[in-house]
Amino acid sequence: MRMPIALLALSLASLVAAGTAAQSQDSPPAWAYPVNPPNFQRAPDDGTIRRVPNSAEGFTLTQVRDLFAAPDWHPEDHPPMPEIVAKGRKPDVFACGVCHRADGPGGPENAGLVGLSAEYIIQQTVEFKTGLRTNSVPRVATDLMIKASKAVTDQELKEAAAYFASIKPRSNISVVETDTVPKTHVRDLFLAPMDGGEKEPIGQRIIEIPENVEHFVSRDARARFIAYVPVGSIQKGRALAASSDLRVQCAACHGADLKGTAVAPGIAARSPTYMFRQLYDFRSGARKGANSEPMKPVAEQLSMEDMIALVAYTASLTP
């Protein structure tokens, strides 16, 4: 039976469209890899002294943006910072405490370092240095980390790793299952709610935003985040993590409570946006370091929905 030309063309067009949609759905999602828009400009510093709750300290916007001076809003929360954490070393080694915050909780845009072993922190820094660890999408935060990793000395890295490993981890995320989320925009590499309070369907996304944007901008280490996830994600993630299939079972490497073992880092209570990127980067091959051998086969069999569910579940746990 011969198919009419018009119907054949329509069928081919439908197949192409379906393939394009599938490819698009499998591409690095913009919500997980926020990129500043082409016309992005940082707000100018008007000289105002910024404040955060329960701190006597004060810093200007210029000071909190200084890559060689970590704002220490709560010095009572941590041991004395090593010089490399507090100030870095000009011109190429930025203060670790600027991006990762003074006591290492990090944020959606980078790794939380507390709760990781010193050996793991050193290993990952070396993998940035040697090109084994990159991103599926170019990211400014990763570029800065690679630059610093190439210039930091072994002794400086050892001091920074020991410092962050000595700090007890804490949860700074509230995971909320919902059908609708605030409309967001990219504000300096992270998602922030738009003015007006408008909502939109969440779809298959994680929308992670600071509870108070200005406190996060001020690099307050006590800043907290809300991670909105699709309804049912936590339970689905719990079931996936507990799968009898050892190729997927998270506890086989990360421990029964997912707080880490001698062979794998703790993954409980970490930013779900950050954790999603790691799963995606293992799957894409952007992460090719020592941990990629066990992780890549796991990530390759997970759908985007599976990955969202898993990181929603792990983020909801206690560290």
Side-chain angles (χ1 to χ4, degrees), residues 11-299:
S11 299
L12 289 173
S14 299
L15 287 172
V16 170
T20 302
Q23 184 177 12
S24 174
Q25 290 173 1
D26 203 40
S27 299
W31 57 262
Y33 296 86
V35 176
N36 290 339
N39 60 346
F40 175 79
Q41 291 185 342
R42 280 180 153 187
D45 184 0
D46 62 4
T48 300
I49 301 298
R50 303 173 73 86
R51 306 288 181 184
V52 303
N54 303 310
S55 174
E57 307 297 329
F59 302 95
T60 65
L61 192 55
T62 298
Q63 287 176 312
V64 301
R65 288 173 176 170
D66 186 349
L67 294 178
F68 296 95
D72 194 2
W73 293 100
H74 310 283
E76 69 277 13
D77 284 358
H78 57 81
M81 286 188 284
E83 188 80 359
I84 199 67
V85 174
K87 297 182 179 179
R89 178 171 48 78
K90 294 182 178 180
D92 296 322
V93 186
F94 312 118
C96 309
V98 171
C99 294
H100 297 284
R101 312 307 189 265
D103 60 352
E109 82 285 14
N110 64 20
L113 300 181
V114 291
L116 299 177
S117 70
E119 293 77 12
Y120 184 80
I121 294 171
I122 291 170
Q123 173 198 327
Q124 295 306 303
T125 305
V126 170
E127 290 182 1
F128 278 115
K129 177 180 180 179
T130 57
L132 290 174
R133 182 168 175 176
T134 58
N135 281 130
S136 303
V137 172
R139 299 185 66 246
V140 172
T142 303
D143 292 343
L144 291 174
M145 186 64 203
I146 291 172
K147 182 178 181 180
S149 69
K150 291 181 176 180
V152 71
T153 68
D154 290 347
Q155 182 59 32
E156 289 168 338
L157 177 55
K158 182 179 179 181
E159 291 174 2
Y163 166 75
F164 288 118
S166 72
I167 299 171
K168 184 178 179 180
R170 64 184 185 274
S171 175
N172 61 355
I173 306 162
S174 297
V175 181
V176 178
E177 294 189 343
T178 182
D179 290 319
T180 60
V181 293
K183 282 191 173 182
T184 56
H185 64 114
V186 179
R187 177 173 171 175
D188 209 356
L189 304 178
F190 69 94
L191 295 182
M194 297 179 69
D195 294 337
E198 287 187 75
K199 300 267 188 161
E200 63 183 2
I202 190 170
Q204 282 303 313
R205 298 183 296 167
I206 295 171
I207 300 299
E208 187 173 353
I209 59 176
E211 287 185 358
N212 185 299
V213 172
E214 293 308 317
H215 296 167
F216 179 59
V217 168
S218 294
R219 305 189 187 280
D220 180 8
R222 292 186 185 177
R224 292 188 55 81
F225 305 88
I226 303 172
Y228 296 104
V229 302
V231 173
S233 294
I234 295 175
Q235 180 54 39
K236 179 178 180 181
R238 181 182 291 111
L240 281 169
S243 168
S244 59
D245 185 345
L246 288 178
R247 295 174 301 170
V248 180
Q249 192 181 79
C250 301
C253 291
H254 296 279
D257 53 8
L258 304 187
K259 295 180 182 180
T261 65
V263 297
I267 56 175
R270 297 195 176 277
S271 159
T273 306
Y274 172 83
M275 292 298 293
F276 178 94
R277 281 199 304 272
Q278 305 322 299
L279 286 174
Y280 193 95
D281 291 346
F282 278 123
R283 188 173 78 169
S284 73
R287 284 193 65 168
K288 299 183 282 289
N291 301 91
S292 64
E293 184 176 346
M295 283 302 304
K296 186 172 173 58
V298 172

